[in-house]
Amino acid sequence: MQSIPYLSPIHGGVRDGVSIYIQGSVPENITRFRINLLCGESDSSDVALHFNPRFDGWDKVVFNSRKGGSWMSEEKIHKMPFSKGKPFELVIMITAKGFQVNNKDDFFLFPHRLPVERIRAIQVSGDVTIQTINIIGVSHASRPFLFQ
């Protein structure tokens, strides 16, 4: 089990063909959580992908990017791939067209706004429990992050 908030470098960075596999669960009393792919290793870094499920009565997932300290325009998907009090598996695939986010099925393709070569870290925060984060297909050896 990984403590939240969580921030870890992605050694070797990412490129087209890399997948990020996240296994976790959301509590019954969830409000929101976020997964950010950062272009640096601090909270103030640019954000290539902001994935933000919100349970606020109008359940939705917000996608966005941040460049130079400013958030860009949000893309809101009004369907929720997570259930309160349930485990989940999420895969973020980096493709030539964007970030393909899957949870059992294809959920959403978020187009690239920043070069994926700039991604250096993954950050997870909010109302979520994370068991595993695996980065599959990284440069050099495939080094999975395993949290038990």
PDB file of all heavy atoms in Angstrom, residues 76-97:
ATOM      1  N   LYS A  76     -14.374  17.616 -19.649  1.00  0.00           N
ATOM      2  CA  LYS A  76     -15.154  16.879 -18.657  1.00  0.00           C
ATOM      3  C   LYS A  76     -15.882  15.726 -19.328  1.00  0.00           C
ATOM      4  O   LYS A  76     -16.541  15.902 -20.345  1.00  0.00           O
ATOM      5  CB  LYS A  76     -16.187  17.803 -18.004  1.00  0.00           C
ATOM      6  CG  LYS A  76     -15.584  18.927 -17.217  1.00  0.00           C
ATOM      7  CD  LYS A  76     -16.682  19.765 -16.577  1.00  0.00           C
ATOM      8  CE  LYS A  76     -16.068  20.878 -15.762  1.00  0.00           C
ATOM      9  NZ  LYS A  76     -16.234  22.179 -16.350  1.00  0.00           N
ATOM     10  N   ILE A  77     -15.761  14.554 -18.734  1.00  0.00           N
ATOM     11  CA  ILE A  77     -16.448  13.360 -19.208  1.00  0.00           C
ATOM     12  C   ILE A  77     -17.491  13.018 -18.147  1.00  0.00           C
ATOM     13  O   ILE A  77     -17.139  12.721 -17.000  1.00  0.00           O
ATOM     14  CB  ILE A  77     -15.463  12.176 -19.386  1.00  0.00           C
ATOM     15  CG1 ILE A  77     -14.259  12.599 -20.222  1.00  0.00           C
ATOM     16  CG2 ILE A  77     -16.186  10.970 -19.976  1.00  0.00           C
ATOM     17  CD1 ILE A  77     -14.585  13.207 -21.558  1.00  0.00           C
ATOM     18  N   HIS A  78     -18.755  13.058 -18.524  1.00  0.00           N
ATOM     19  CA  HIS A  78     -19.826  12.855 -17.550  1.00  0.00           C
ATOM     20  C   HIS A  78     -20.240  11.389 -17.448  1.00  0.00           C
ATOM     21  O   HIS A  78     -21.398  11.035 -17.565  1.00  0.00           O
ATOM     22  CB  HIS A  78     -21.022  13.751 -17.877  1.00  0.00           C
ATOM     23  CG  HIS A  78     -20.732  15.190 -17.616  1.00  0.00           C
ATOM     24  ND1 HIS A  78     -20.818  15.758 -16.364  1.00  0.00           N
ATOM     25  CD2 HIS A  78     -20.286  16.176 -18.430  1.00  0.00           C
ATOM     26  CE1 HIS A  78     -20.468  17.034 -16.429  1.00  0.00           C
ATOM     27  NE2 HIS A  78     -20.138  17.313 -17.676  1.00  0.00           N
ATOM     28  N   LYS A  79     -19.229  10.538 -17.242  1.00  0.00           N
ATOM     29  CA  LYS A  79     -19.484   9.167 -16.832  1.00  0.00           C
ATOM     30  C   LYS A  79     -18.375   8.801 -15.867  1.00  0.00           C
ATOM     31  O   LYS A  79     -17.275   9.339 -15.953  1.00  0.00           O
ATOM     32  CB  LYS A  79     -19.610   8.202 -18.016  1.00  0.00           C
ATOM     33  CG  LYS A  79     -18.386   8.067 -18.881  1.00  0.00           C
ATOM     34  CD  LYS A  79     -18.657   7.092 -20.020  1.00  0.00           C
ATOM     35  CE  LYS A  79     -17.403   6.904 -20.850  1.00  0.00           C
ATOM     36  NZ  LYS A  79     -17.581   5.953 -21.934  1.00  0.00           N
ATOM     37  N   MET A  80     -18.694   7.952 -14.932  1.00  0.00           N
ATOM     38  CA  MET A  80     -17.753   7.653 -13.854  1.00  0.00           C
ATOM     39  C   MET A  80     -17.301   6.200 -13.944  1.00  0.00           C
ATOM     40  O   MET A  80     -18.115   5.292 -13.842  1.00  0.00           O
ATOM     41  CB  MET A  80     -18.434   7.915 -12.505  1.00  0.00           C
ATOM     42  CG  MET A  80     -17.546   7.642 -11.311  1.00  0.00           C
ATOM     43  SD  MET A  80     -15.962   8.519 -11.299  1.00  0.00           S
ATOM     44  CE  MET A  80     -16.488  10.215 -11.110  1.00  0.00           C
ATOM     45  N   PRO A  81     -15.987   5.982 -14.165  1.00  0.00           N
ATOM     46  CA  PRO A  81     -15.493   4.608 -14.277  1.00  0.00           C
ATOM     47  C   PRO A  81     -15.185   3.956 -12.927  1.00  0.00           C
ATOM     48  O   PRO A  81     -14.701   2.840 -12.890  1.00  0.00           O
ATOM     49  CB  PRO A  81     -14.215   4.781 -15.099  1.00  0.00           C
ATOM     50  CG  PRO A  81     -13.713   6.135 -14.711  1.00  0.00           C
ATOM     51  CD  PRO A  81     -14.953   6.967 -14.459  1.00  0.00           C
ATOM     52  N   PHE A  82     -15.434   4.661 -11.824  1.00  0.00           N
ATOM     53  CA  PHE A  82     -15.140   4.149 -10.482  1.00  0.00           C
ATOM     54  C   PHE A  82     -16.417   4.044  -9.678  1.00  0.00           C
ATOM     55  O   PHE A  82     -17.349   4.812  -9.891  1.00  0.00           O
ATOM     56  CB  PHE A  82     -14.158   5.076  -9.750  1.00  0.00           C
ATOM     57  CG  PHE A  82     -12.898   5.312 -10.517  1.00  0.00           C
ATOM     58  CD1 PHE A  82     -12.703   6.491 -11.225  1.00  0.00           C
ATOM     59  CD2 PHE A  82     -11.893   4.365 -10.544  1.00  0.00           C
ATOM     60  CE1 PHE A  82     -11.547   6.719 -11.948  1.00  0.00           C
ATOM     61  CE2 PHE A  82     -10.727   4.572 -11.272  1.00  0.00           C
ATOM     62  CZ  PHE A  82     -10.556   5.754 -11.965  1.00  0.00           C
ATOM     63  N   SER A  83     -16.449   3.098  -8.739  1.00  0.00           N
ATOM     64  CA  SER A  83     -17.581   2.938  -7.831  1.00  0.00           C
ATOM     65  C   SER A  83     -17.105   3.141  -6.404  1.00  0.00           C
ATOM     66  O   SER A  83     -16.048   2.621  -6.019  1.00  0.00           O
ATOM     67  CB  SER A  83     -18.177   1.537  -7.958  1.00  0.00           C
ATOM     68  OG  SER A  83     -18.622   1.312  -9.276  1.00  0.00           O
ATOM     69  N   LYS A  84     -17.896   3.871  -5.629  1.00  0.00           N
ATOM     70  CA  LYS A  84     -17.550   4.129  -4.230  1.00  0.00           C
ATOM     71  C   LYS A  84     -17.374   2.812  -3.480  1.00  0.00           C
ATOM     72  O   LYS A  84     -18.175   1.898  -3.616  1.00  0.00           O
ATOM     73  CB  LYS A  84     -18.642   4.963  -3.552  1.00  0.00           C
ATOM     74  CG  LYS A  84     -18.717   6.377  -4.066  1.00  0.00           C
ATOM     75  CD  LYS A  84     -19.791   7.163  -3.339  1.00  0.00           C
ATOM     76  CE  LYS A  84     -19.790   8.598  -3.821  1.00  0.00           C
ATOM     77  NZ  LYS A  84     -20.688   9.440  -3.032  1.00  0.00           N
ATOM     78  N   GLY A  85     -16.279   2.729  -2.703  1.00  0.00           N
ATOM     79  CA  GLY A  85     -16.015   1.554  -1.891  1.00  0.00           C
ATOM     80  C   GLY A  85     -15.515   0.343  -2.659  1.00  0.00           C
ATOM     81  O   GLY A  85     -15.451  -0.754  -2.107  1.00  0.00           O
ATOM     82  N   LYS A  86     -15.133   0.530  -3.911  1.00  0.00           N
ATOM     83  CA  LYS A  86     -14.727  -0.608  -4.748  1.00  0.00           C
ATOM     84  C   LYS A  86     -13.292  -0.464  -5.254  1.00  0.00           C
ATOM     85  O   LYS A  86     -12.805   0.643  -5.472  1.00  0.00           O
ATOM     86  CB  LYS A  86     -15.640  -0.713  -5.978  1.00  0.00           C
ATOM     87  CG  LYS A  86     -17.093  -0.884  -5.651  1.00  0.00           C
ATOM     88  CD  LYS A  86     -17.397  -2.316  -5.341  1.00  0.00           C
ATOM     89  CE  LYS A  86     -18.904  -2.471  -5.263  1.00  0.00           C
ATOM     90  NZ  LYS A  86     -19.335  -3.532  -4.440  1.00  0.00           N
ATOM     91  N   PRO A  87     -12.631  -1.618  -5.501  1.00  0.00           N
ATOM     92  CA  PRO A  87     -11.296  -1.584  -6.111  1.00  0.00           C
ATOM     93  C   PRO A  87     -11.392  -1.235  -7.597  1.00  0.00           C
ATOM     94  O   PRO A  87     -12.458  -1.363  -8.201  1.00  0.00           O
ATOM     95  CB  PRO A  87     -10.771  -3.002  -5.901  1.00  0.00           C
ATOM     96  CG  PRO A  87     -11.981  -3.850  -5.744  1.00  0.00           C
ATOM     97  CD  PRO A  87     -13.056  -2.975  -5.168  1.00  0.00           C
ATOM     98  N   PHE A  88     -10.271  -0.821  -8.162  1.00  0.00           N
ATOM     99  CA  PHE A  88     -10.229  -0.507  -9.590  1.00  0.00           C
ATOM    100  C   PHE A  88      -8.874  -0.857 -10.168  1.00  0.00           C
ATOM    101  O   PHE A  88      -7.894  -0.987  -9.453  1.00  0.00           O
ATOM    102  CB  PHE A  88     -10.544   0.980  -9.848  1.00  0.00           C
ATOM    103  CG  PHE A  88      -9.483   1.929  -9.345  1.00  0.00           C
ATOM    104  CD1 PHE A  88      -8.367   2.236 -10.115  1.00  0.00           C
ATOM    105  CD2 PHE A  88      -9.602   2.516  -8.095  1.00  0.00           C
ATOM    106  CE1 PHE A  88      -7.391   3.116  -9.645  1.00  0.00           C
ATOM    107  CE2 PHE A  88      -8.636   3.391  -7.620  1.00  0.00           C
ATOM    108  CZ  PHE A  88      -7.525   3.693  -8.398  1.00  0.00           C
ATOM    109  N   GLU A  89      -8.862  -1.011 -11.482  1.00  0.00           N
ATOM    110  CA  GLU A  89      -7.634  -1.122 -12.264  1.00  0.00           C
ATOM    111  C   GLU A  89      -7.738  -0.081 -13.355  1.00  0.00           C
ATOM    112  O   GLU A  89      -8.763   0.009 -14.037  1.00  0.00           O
ATOM    113  CB  GLU A  89      -7.500  -2.513 -12.883  1.00  0.00           C
ATOM    114  CG  GLU A  89      -7.278  -3.599 -11.864  1.00  0.00           C
ATOM    115  CD  GLU A  89      -7.111  -4.968 -12.510  1.00  0.00           C
ATOM    116  OE1 GLU A  89      -7.297  -5.089 -13.740  1.00  0.00           O
ATOM    117  OE2 GLU A  89      -6.799  -5.912 -11.775  1.00  0.00           O
ATOM    118  N   LEU A  90      -6.700   0.718 -13.502  1.00  0.00           N
ATOM    119  CA  LEU A  90      -6.682   1.792 -14.479  1.00  0.00           C
ATOM    120  C   LEU A  90      -5.415   1.662 -15.307  1.00  0.00           C
ATOM    121  O   LEU A  90      -4.345   1.396 -14.760  1.00  0.00           O
ATOM    122  CB  LEU A  90      -6.692   3.142 -13.741  1.00  0.00           C
ATOM    123  CG  LEU A  90      -6.783   4.394 -14.591  1.00  0.00           C
ATOM    124  CD1 LEU A  90      -8.192   4.544 -15.160  1.00  0.00           C
ATOM    125  CD2 LEU A  90      -6.450   5.617 -13.748  1.00  0.00           C
ATOM    126  N   VAL A  91      -5.542   1.806 -16.623  1.00  0.00           N
ATOM    127  CA  VAL A  91      -4.377   1.779 -17.498  1.00  0.00           C
ATOM    128  C   VAL A  91      -4.345   3.074 -18.292  1.00  0.00           C
ATOM    129  O   VAL A  91      -5.351   3.453 -18.908  1.00  0.00           O
ATOM    130  CB  VAL A  91      -4.408   0.570 -18.462  1.00  0.00           C
ATOM    131  CG1 VAL A  91      -3.195   0.589 -19.379  1.00  0.00           C
ATOM    132  CG2 VAL A  91      -4.463  -0.736 -17.682  1.00  0.00           C
ATOM    133  N   ILE A  92      -3.211   3.765 -18.240  1.00  0.00           N
ATOM    134  CA  ILE A  92      -2.990   4.956 -19.053  1.00  0.00           C
ATOM    135  C   ILE A  92      -1.952   4.573 -20.100  1.00  0.00           C
ATOM    136  O   ILE A  92      -0.796   4.311 -19.764  1.00  0.00           O
ATOM    137  CB  ILE A  92      -2.486   6.132 -18.204  1.00  0.00           C
ATOM    138  CG1 ILE A  92      -3.486   6.453 -17.093  1.00  0.00           C
ATOM    139  CG2 ILE A  92      -2.219   7.361 -19.087  1.00  0.00           C
ATOM    140  CD1 ILE A  92      -2.947   7.410 -16.022  1.00  0.00           C
ATOM    141  N   MET A  93      -2.384   4.494 -21.360  1.00  0.00           N
ATOM    142  CA  MET A  93      -1.480   4.129 -22.446  1.00  0.00           C
ATOM    143  C   MET A  93      -1.062   5.398 -23.179  1.00  0.00           C
ATOM    144  O   MET A  93      -1.922   6.208 -23.540  1.00  0.00           O
ATOM    145  CB  MET A  93      -2.157   3.168 -23.424  1.00  0.00           C
ATOM    146  CG  MET A  93      -2.454   1.821 -22.792  1.00  0.00           C
ATOM    147  SD  MET A  93      -3.146   0.625 -23.964  1.00  0.00           S
ATOM    148  CE  MET A  93      -4.630   1.441 -24.476  1.00  0.00           C
ATOM    149  N   ILE A  94       0.234   5.553 -23.378  1.00  0.00           N
ATOM    150  CA  ILE A  94       0.730   6.698 -24.126  1.00  0.00           C
ATOM    151  C   ILE A  94       0.780   6.287 -25.587  1.00  0.00           C
ATOM    152  O   ILE A  94       1.498   5.363 -25.955  1.00  0.00           O
ATOM    153  CB  ILE A  94       2.084   7.178 -23.588  1.00  0.00           C
ATOM    154  CG1 ILE A  94       1.873   7.767 -22.195  1.00  0.00           C
ATOM    155  CG2 ILE A  94       2.682   8.245 -24.476  1.00  0.00           C
ATOM    156  CD1 ILE A  94       2.694   7.214 -21.141  1.00  0.00           C
ATOM    157  N   THR A  95      -0.030   6.956 -26.408  1.00  0.00           N
ATOM    158  CA  THR A  95      -0.086   6.653 -27.838  1.00  0.00           C
ATOM    159  C   THR A  95       0.353   7.895 -28.608  1.00  0.00           C
ATOM    160  O   THR A  95       0.507   8.972 -28.034  1.00  0.00           O
ATOM    161  CB  THR A  95      -1.521   6.274 -28.268  1.00  0.00           C
ATOM    162  OG1 THR A  95      -2.332   7.447 -28.264  1.00  0.00           O
ATOM    163  CG2 THR A  95      -2.122   5.215 -27.353  1.00  0.00           C
ATOM    164  N   ALA A  96       0.501   7.747 -29.908  1.00  0.00           N
ATOM    165  CA  ALA A  96       0.878   8.890 -30.746  1.00  0.00           C
ATOM    166  C   ALA A  96      -0.188   9.981 -30.691  1.00  0.00           C
ATOM    167  O   ALA A  96       0.119  11.162 -30.796  1.00  0.00           O
ATOM    168  CB  ALA A  96       1.095   8.423 -32.179  1.00  0.00           C
ATOM    169  N   LYS A  97      -1.459   9.588 -30.484  1.00  0.00           N
ATOM    170  CA  LYS A  97      -2.560  10.552 -30.500  1.00  0.00           C
ATOM    171  C   LYS A  97      -2.817  11.196 -29.143  1.00  0.00           C
ATOM    172  O   LYS A  97      -3.407  12.269 -29.068  1.00  0.00           O
ATOM    173  CB  LYS A  97      -3.840   9.862 -30.959  1.00  0.00           C
ATOM    174  CG  LYS A  97      -3.772   9.453 -32.408  1.00  0.00           C
ATOM    175  CD  LYS A  97      -5.109   8.930 -32.863  1.00  0.00           C
ATOM    176  CE  LYS A  97      -5.128   8.934 -34.363  1.00  0.00           C
ATOM    177  NZ  LYS A  97      -5.480   7.791 -35.045  1.00  0.00           N
TER     178      LYS A  97
END
